Amino acid sequence: MSVKEARPLSTVAEADELDSSNGSTEQHVSTVVDGDPGSKSRTPNVIDVEREKSGWVRRHRHGAMPDERAASAERISALELAFRGFAERKGDEVVVPSMGLTFDSLGEAYDYYNLYSWECGFGIRYGKSRTNVKGAKSMQELLCNCGGKPKKVNSTSSRTECPAMIRLLRTEDDGWYICEYKVSHNHEMLHTCAQKLHFPSQRHIDKYTRELVSQLRQNNVNLSKVYSIIGTSFGHIENVPFTKRYLRTLCAKLSRDQADEDVKKTMDYFAELKQSDPEFTYTVRVDSESRVRTLIWTIGKSKLQYHYFGDAVTFDTTYRTNLYDMPFGLFVGVNNHFQSVIYAGVLMHDEKVESFNWVFSEFVKLMGGKKPITILTGK
């Protein structure tokens, strides 16, 4: 094998073939095949010299790797670099992609390119991706929303085969970097906020706003107030880059994601109450998929008060004002000082007749079988 015929060796099988055909290349092959990313030293050989002459560099190959690299306080994010360099750049865009720009995660790269597209007046979407033999994603394209061919000729699709895109590859420390960037578009840019919001990507909520929404909803702040708070952070409600309907969809998704964890937290909290109050009792009703449908509980003090003042009971439910859109009901009575006392609390999945029948029957069981003489309800 001559120097001019040298090429990258990607498999051990090729190395074995060269070893059997020409023993003089054994030293050269070993340095190429033994390309362990963790190796610190490497002796230049004939093949490396040929690569330097041709300008071709072998891309780093990854195996199993996490979706994002570990955060570092010393590393400056791409968005911060864009803000710092805006004064020196001559242009209208604050956020500008460039070759070699690195990101900690794919989501960070998406948010960065999406901010750039908002300034320019177009939308983006995910394009082609590639995974390695270990199943880890190693390449991802982010395209203009008008990129690609329409499924039908003369359709109402917005796709115009726009070439604008960025291609992301993995860095050696499990991050992402821009290896290819195309800026030209073959369609008109949009200028008003109302027009830009027609693109699905421009209704995307970044992770920082998402965390703020999650914290507000965990504190039972209703949807309208959450939207108003986000509007103040953007300067005005009209500048919010997503609609109230999309915010409602996000809140529903956050509720589903937190449901399993919060059920476990609830059971752990009930176990603590049981240790401090032996008379604490609760009952859970689940469906065929072991999901909580109804949850009712009471404490020892409430049982004692019901024993003396439980002849007349009022029961009413709120209208899904909590994080999970579950009606919350209270069994309330009045003591001898005309003060309201709480007998039991209940969380319900729905307000159907069978659900109320289960709640009333379980309430009587929790109270030792004593039935109230009168029950007053909202309807």
Side-chain angles (χ1 to χ4, degrees):
M1 180 178 180
S2 63
V3 174
K4 294 182 179 180
E5 296 174 349
R7 59 186 177 86
L9 302 177
S10 57
T11 61
V12 179
E14 295 182 40
D16 295 338
E17 183 179 353
L18 286 177
D19 290 341
S20 61
S21 60
N22 190 352
S24 62
T25 60
E26 181 178 358
Q27 181 180 0
H28 304 158
V29 172
S30 63
T31 56
V32 176
V33 174
D34 191 19
D36 187 2
S39 60
K40 300 297 182 181
S41 62
R42 176 170 174 170
T43 304
N45 55 29
V46 178
I47 298 178
D48 292 330
V49 173
E50 184 66 18
R51 289 176 184 169
E52 292 179 2
K53 292 180 180 179
S54 63
W56 181 83
V57 180
R58 183 181 180 86
R59 183 160 56 88
H60 183 76
R61 301 293 177 179
H62 295 264
M65 53 184 167
D67 294 335
E68 59 184 49
R69 66 182 174 186
S72 174
E74 301 177 355
R75 187 166 51 243
I76 303 176
S77 66
L79 188 59
E80 184 176 350
L81 288 174
F83 290 154
R84 289 183 178 184
F86 175 65
E88 301 176 359
R89 292 194 308 268
K90 294 182 179 180
D92 298 330
E93 294 82 14
V94 178
V95 178
V96 179
S98 60
M99 297 284 290
L101 194 62
T102 61
F103 306 93
D104 289 342
S105 64
L106 187 59
E108 181 185 352
Y110 181 92
D111 290 338
Y112 187 90
Y113 194 46
N114 196 41
L115 287 174
Y116 168 72
S117 67
W118 173 264
E119 291 186 282
C120 295
F122 67 97
I124 67 171
R125 61 182 177 85
Y126 285 102
K128 295 180 181 178
S129 62
R130 184 171 59 241
T131 57
N132 59 21
V133 293
K134 297 295 184 179
K137 184 174 288 188
S138 58
M139 188 277 289
Q140 178 67 60
E141 291 182 353
L142 298 178
L143 310 177
C144 172
N145 195 74
C146 297
K149 295 182 180 180
K151 296 181 179 180
K152 296 181 180 180
V153 183
N154 300 328
S155 69
T156 57
S157 174
S158 62
R159 298 191 179 184
T160 60
E161 301 186 47
C162 179
M165 54 86 73
I166 62 172
R167 180 177 287 114
L168 300 162
L169 295 178
R170 302 304 294 266
T171 61
E172 295 187 10
D173 57 352
D174 300 329
W176 295 83
Y177 73 97
I178 300 177
C179 73
E180 185 177 352
Y181 169 45
K182 296 180 181 179
V183 66
S184 61
H185 296 264
N186 61 4
H187 55 89
E188 295 182 0
M189 299 289 105
L190 303 181
H191 302 289
T192 65
C193 294
Q195 291 175 330
K196 295 175 185 178
L197 286 176
H198 285 288
F199 291 118
S201 64
Q202 303 305 348
R203 298 193 296 269
H204 170 73
I205 302 179
D206 60 271
K207 66 176 183 179
Y208 305 106
T209 306
R210 189 182 295 256
E211 291 176 359
L212 175 61
V213 172
S214 178
Q215 292 293 332
L216 293 174
R217 291 296 289 167
Q218 286 180 8
N219 288 277
N220 282 335
V221 179
N222 63 47
L223 192 64
S224 298
K225 290 183 179 179
V226 171
Y227 197 67
S228 299
I229 293 172
I230 295 175
T232 57
S233 63
F234 282 91
H236 195 272
I237 196 70
E238 295 178 356
N239 297 331
V240 178
F242 51 85
T243 61
K244 191 173 182 180
R245 181 178 180 181
Y246 189 83
L247 179 63
R248 184 181 295 107
T249 303
L250 172 64
C251 293
K253 183 178 183 300
L254 292 174
S255 300
R256 291 193 298 268
D257 294 341
Q258 297 176 359
D260 294 338
E261 181 181 358
D262 286 352
V263 167
K264 182 179 180 301
K265 290 180 180 179
T266 302
M267 294 298 103
D268 293 340
Y269 181 67
F270 279 1
E272 295 178 3
L273 291 178
K274 186 69 175 178
Q275 292 179 354
S276 58
D277 182 7
E279 294 296 323
F280 174 79
T281 311
Y282 69 92
T283 306
V284 182
R285 179 191 179 199
V286 298
D287 58 12
S288 58
E289 298 180 0
S290 299
R291 293 178 299 187
V292 176
R293 305 289 295 183
T294 313
L295 175 63
I296 184 173
W297 66 92
T298 185
I299 60 176
K301 183 178 179 181
S302 297
K303 291 181 179 180
L304 182 62
Q305 291 174 331
Y306 179 81
H307 178 74
Y308 292 106
F309 314 115
D311 293 338
V313 177
T314 64
F315 177 77
D316 195 12
T317 56
T318 60
Y319 186 69
R320 302 174 182 267
T321 57
N322 53 75
L323 180 63
Y324 304 104
D325 290 333
M326 297 178 68
F328 173 68
L330 283 176
F331 288 91
V332 183
V334 178
N335 60 15
N336 56 331
H337 297 288
F338 298 100
Q339 297 173 334
S340 298
V341 291
I342 298 176
Y343 297 140
V346 58
L347 276 173
M348 306 172 62
H349 183 268
D350 53 52
E351 294 181 293
K352 297 180 179 180
V353 175
E354 55 269 20
S355 298
F356 284 113
N357 289 336
W358 184 89
V359 168
F360 292 149
S361 61
E362 288 298 323
F363 173 74
V364 173
K365 292 180 182 178
L366 293 179
M367 296 304 166
K370 177 185 176 181
K371 296 181 180 181
I373 298 176
T374 304
I375 295 183
L376 304 175
T377 62
K379 295 181 181 180

